[in-house]
Structure formats: structure tokens, C-alpha cells
Amino acid sequence: MNLMNANSAVAAEPKIEPQNYRYLCEMVYRESGIVLDESKHYLVEARLTPVARDAGAGDLNALCNLMRAISGRPLRDKVVEAMTTNETLFFRDIKPFDALRQVILPELTAKRRPVQTLRVLSAACSTGQEAYSLAMLWKEMKIPGWDLDILGIDLSDEVLDKARGGRYQQLEVNRGLPAMYLVKYFQRDEAVWQIKSEIRSMARWRKFNLLDDLTPLGTFDLILCRNVLIYFDQPTKSRILGAFRGRLISGGYLFLGASETTLNLDDKFLRRQVASAIAYQKP
Amino acid sequence: MQQALIIDDSKAIRRILGATIRELGFDVAEAGNGREALEELARLPGPVRLILVDWNMPEMNGMEFLLALQGRERHPDTKVMMVTTETAIDQMIKALEAGADEYIMKPFTRDAIVDKLRLLGIVN
Ligand SMILES: C[S@@+](CC[C@H](N)C(=O)[O-])C[C@H]1O[C@@H](n2cnc3c(N)ncnc32)[C@H](O)[C@@H]1O
């Protein structure tokens, strides 16, 4: 194999063989729901070449052979993680956050007076900006005696570690975060911006695959699942939307990404226009 | 078209910011420091919707400009954002207290500018 690598390094970068490409796509689909079709060749090569190198495989064909030979999880997880898109930012799209502040959170607190806690799921949370945005927004609402309990889930360990640490680069706090919140809820540690513990303590993080049974997570008043369904096919989207409905209290809300919808996927949510955002309510 | 004013002593930064802001549908006026900016404001016919202002500039810096602006009548729709290499929290607080509506640190990306303008309700 090494000899082959030496040769291929001299020749042009070898392309992945069709059956290996299919093997990778099927594996990523099975493990994460992410659909990679023929148009994603470039993406697969760009993202998996470093993984192959780290694993000591010279190219993607060798990587596939290695995965077939050793059926261990770690390498498979690395491949899947490499194929996820983790882009996120504070207060992404802003409109859902306005709707939450103006309407949804007041409504839910009226409903949940006996327990004085709202449980929120940030599904496919990536590096945590969505969860922390909500936490800051909640802090600003100053509702005495109430708790907001946020659970962030994602299938990537790497993003969860970052979310847990609550440490962000300048480029990240520059994006979408009101300066007022930056000065109030972050501390600067050289080039890193650390979110303060009063905000950090409102969120917990757990590695969890949206394809798995969500029952162990418990029930929620609010689920944010934005900008991940776009990577899935129709049956997977329908299944996950149904699973979210199962996890919401009656009257609870789901928010999706700006380009996502329940339309033709799940007809049991009530679609509500709230402020300038669309929210999906469980009847 | 809505009016924007970009204040920075670096021509390169004015060009980069100007391109982004024009793309968003603004008319862009430029000034190389705070004093020029005040002149520009007096000269421009209509209200200015957006002011992007650097901190460190010769003659009149961004902070002095903000303070000068506080002493004048400001159109209620005018939003002011500081665009600066100053990254100390104390400095940010000072700028916000002096009337900046937003604050973005250099280096910035085009997306980061647009995200901030979205927060200010200036773009959708
Ligand atoms: C583009 S980010 C979205 C982050 C955030 N929700 C937002 O809107 O900004 C997509 C995230 O989905 C995660 N993801 C992809 N497939 C997943 C699955 N099957 N289960 C859990 N998380 C998944 C990825 O790891 C990635 O962090």
C-alpha cells in the first residue's frame, strides 16, 4: 500500500473509485441521515482527504479499505463528522429570537407556571451559539424565580466540546452577537472570548443522533432544530419531525431554519406566524 | 435610496465597506476622519440611515465623533456602528455609552457586517 501511495503522490491525485464513493455515501447516510449524491464528489474528497491522511491511509480508496477491514466506530465517526457542516452564528436569522422574546416565551411561562422551568432542546446545536443566544435573551427578560434549562445535542464530539467550553474566537463573536451582550456576558481571555458561567450554566450538552429514539431525552416546551433537516431526505425529515412532536408538551413549539418547513412532511403541527417568524405548534 | 456614511482613514477599508454597503442598496458617502464626517453630514441633503465609524483616526477620532454627534440632533432612524481594531471590553462599553448602536471588531467578514446590520433592523 505504501508503494502505491508513493506512486500516486507523484501522479495526479487519484480519484475515488465509484464503488468506494457509494460505500462512503451509504455509510454517512446510515449513520447520520445526511444525503450525499453524485454532485458531492468534490465535497467528499475535500473533507475526507485529511481524515484519510490522519488514519494513515494514502487516499480515499485506501480509507474505504481500512474501514472495511476494521469495523471500529472511531474511524466511522470521524468520517461522518467530517461530512457535517457546522456553520452557525449567534442569533442566526434573528426573527425566531424576536418571536421567542415577544410572544413564545411569555406564552410558555404563563402555561408552565406550576413548574417555573422551561425545557428547551437545541437539536443539532453545533458549537452552541444558538443555545447561548437563547440563554442570553432569557437572562435579559428577567423573569424572577424561573429557570430555562437548555439541552444541546449534536452527533459531533468536536462541536460539543467547543459548546461546552463556551470559548469563541473574535470572528465568531463578531457574527450576529449584539455588542451589548458581548460586553455583558463574555470575558476576554487574550484572543478568546469566554461566555460567563451565569449563561454557560443554563445549558447542558449531550452527544445524540437525531436518527435515534429521542425518548430518553425527556419532554420539552420548545425545540429549536434549524439548518440540519436540509441535509436529509423526505422520509428522514418526516420521521424526525414526528419524533419532535412526540417530545413536545401539548402547546409546545418547534422552530426550523429559514428554508425549512413541515409542509408535506408532517401535517400535525399547527403552522403559526409569530411576529416575523414561523413557529410550529404541537396541538 | 438610503444614505450611508463610512468614516475611516484607510481608503482600503472605505472601499471594502463601501462595496458591501452599496451591494445592500445604499448610497455611500465617505469621510477620512470625524471632522470630515461632520462636514459631510451637514452637506448631505437627506437623513443618514447608517454610519460606520472607525475609532483611531487623525484630527477627530471615532469616539470624539460620537460625542460630537450626541450634541446634535440625530435622526431617530440613524444607526451608528463602530468598526475598529479596538477589542477591549472597556472601550466597547465607552463607545456604546457614547451612542454607538453596534460595534464590530476588525478584521471583519462581509457576512459579519451583514449580520450586524440585520440586528440593527437595517437589512432583512
Ligand atoms: C449547520 S449546523 C446547524 C447549527 C444550528 N442549529 C444553526 O442553525 O445554526 C448542522 C449541525 O447538525 C449536526 N448534525 C448533522 N446530522 C446530525 C444527526 N443525525 N444528529 C445530530 N446532529 C446532526 C452537525 O454535526 C452540525 O453541527
Side-chain angles (χ1 to χ4, degrees):
Chain A
M1 207 154 65
N2 278 333
L3 200 62
M4 262 177 59
N5 290 343
N7 288 338
S8 54
V10 175
E13 193 77 32
K15 289 279 176 260
I16 182 164
E17 285 167 23
Q19 82 269 19
N20 284 337
Y21 186 75
R22 270 199 307 280
Y23 169 77
L24 284 173
C25 294
E26 277 165 23
M27 198 278 292
V28 169
Y29 177 73
R30 193 171 59 243
E31 297 288 327
S32 70
I34 297 171
V35 176
L36 299 168
D37 56 28
E38 284 301 321
S39 71
K40 297 290 185 343
H41 248 97
Y42 170 76
L43 190 74
V44 169
E45 281 175 28
R47 297 240 183 116
L48 294 188
T49 300
V51 177
R53 216 164 276 148
D54 283 352
D59 62 20
L60 296 190
N61 294 314
L63 177 70
C64 291
N65 289 338
L66 196 60
M67 287 186 358
R68 289 191 188 97
I70 53 160
S71 62
R73 275 223 80 85
L75 186 54
R76 246 190 302 160
D77 284 358
K78 279 208 190 87
V79 169
V80 172
E81 286 196 19
M83 290 317 302
T84 61
T85 298
N86 306 121
E87 203 202 330
T88 186
L89 60 136
F90 289 102
F91 292 94
R92 187 170 192 169
D93 299 334
I94 194 68
K95 286 175 184 149
F97 293 95
D98 289 338
L100 285 164
R101 181 170 47 81
Q102 290 166 20
V103 181
I104 306 275
L105 292 173
E107 186 183 313
L108 288 172
T109 46
K111 192 188 209 79
R112 302 290 271 164
R113 196 148 286 146
V115 282
Q116 301 230 328
T117 298
L118 292 183
R119 287 203 72 211
V120 182
L121 179 67
S122 174
C125 60
S126 191
T127 40
Q129 282 91 328
E130 175 182 84
Y132 289 136
S133 298
L134 182 63
M136 288 183 274
L137 182 145
W138 172 263
K139 261 283 185 300
E140 290 289 309
M141 289 175 69
K142 299 191 174 71
I143 314 178
W146 275 78
D147 286 323
L148 190 71
D149 177 13
I150 307 173
L151 175 64
I153 61 168
D154 201 285
L155 58 65
S156 159
D157 278 318
E158 206 178 316
V159 296
L160 287 170
D161 281 346
K162 171 142 183 177
R164 204 170 276 123
R167 292 164 67 79
Y168 297 96
Q169 302 298 316
Q170 181 174 310
L171 282 174
E172 295 167 310
V173 296
N174 245 351
R175 290 207 60 190
L177 182 65
M180 202 65 98
Y181 289 2
L182 179 64
V183 300
K184 205 161 165 184
Y185 297 119
F186 286 77
Q187 277 158 324
R188 222 187 89 177
D189 176 5
E190 305 280 321
V192 172
W193 295 81
Q194 168 75 62
I195 201 153
K196 289 186 181 168
S197 58
E198 58 176 311
I199 298 298
R200 217 175 123 206
S201 63
M202 291 168 68
R204 294 171 298 122
W205 310 95
R206 182 166 169 189
K207 181 169 174 150
F208 211 95
N209 193 328
L210 286 170
L211 301 183
D212 290 341
D213 175 17
L214 304 184
T215 316
L217 299 179
T219 56
F220 298 92
D221 301 283
L222 173 65
I223 297 178
L224 308 176
C225 182
R226 304 189 306 144
N227 306 299
V228 67
L229 292 186
I230 36 169
Y231 300 106
F232 302 152
D233 60 12
Q234 304 286 97
T236 309
K237 288 181 194 173
S238 293
R239 182 149 65 85
I240 293 173
L241 288 170
F244 285 155
R245 238 183 329 94
R247 295 297 93 222
L248 280 171
I249 61 154
S250 164
Y253 287 95
L254 167 70
F255 279 86
L256 299 175
S259 63
E260 296 162 337
T261 172
T262 61
L263 201 70
N264 296 329
L265 296 168
D266 186 300
D267 57 9
K268 296 198 184 69
F269 279 103
L270 305 172
R271 187 174 186 276
R272 279 189 56 186
Q273 165 105 32
V274 183
S276 308
I278 301 295
Y280 299 92
Q281 189 174 30
K282 175 173 171 174
Chain B
M1 235 194 248
Q2 304 197 88
Q3 183 69 54
L5 174 60
I6 297 174
I7 316 164
D8 200 304
D9 56 339
S10 153
K11 208 171 169 182
I13 297 278
R14 291 203 305 268
R15 197 173 53 233
I16 293 168
L17 279 175
T20 300
I21 302 303
R22 269 188 207 98
E23 219 179 278
L24 295 169
F26 284 84
D27 252 342
V28 175
E30 294 181 13
N33 61 53
R35 187 189 49 73
E36 281 178 30
L38 291 175
E39 285 168 16
E40 212 33 44
L41 284 176
R43 194 189 62 79
L44 287 167
V48 175
R49 179 82 169 103
L50 172 66
I51 300 176
L52 302 178
V53 55
D54 184 19
W55 191 308
N56 298 303
M57 292 178 292
E59 279 191 67
M60 182 190 261
N61 69 29
M63 192 55 169
E64 290 159 351
F65 170 79
L66 285 178
L67 294 171
L69 209 57
Q70 270 192 332
R72 287 158 201 243
E73 217 173 303
R74 179 169 144 184
H75 193 278
D77 288 342
T78 302
K79 300 286 183 195
V80 184
M81 177 156 79
M82 271 228 140
V83 185
T84 168
T85 48
E86 294 290 338
T87 59
I89 289 185
D90 291 349
Q91 300 286 79
M92 276 183 213
I93 293 174
K94 268 190 211 149
L96 294 172
E97 281 175 352
D101 299 290
E102 261 305 338
Y103 195 107
I104 192 164
M105 293 174 276
K106 291 177 185 168
F108 53 82
T109 60
R110 183 194 171 277
D111 286 346
I113 295 282
V114 177
D115 294 332
K116 287 282 189 179
L117 297 186
R118 189 170 290 124
L119 282 180
L120 291 171
I122 285 181
V123 297
N124 265 315

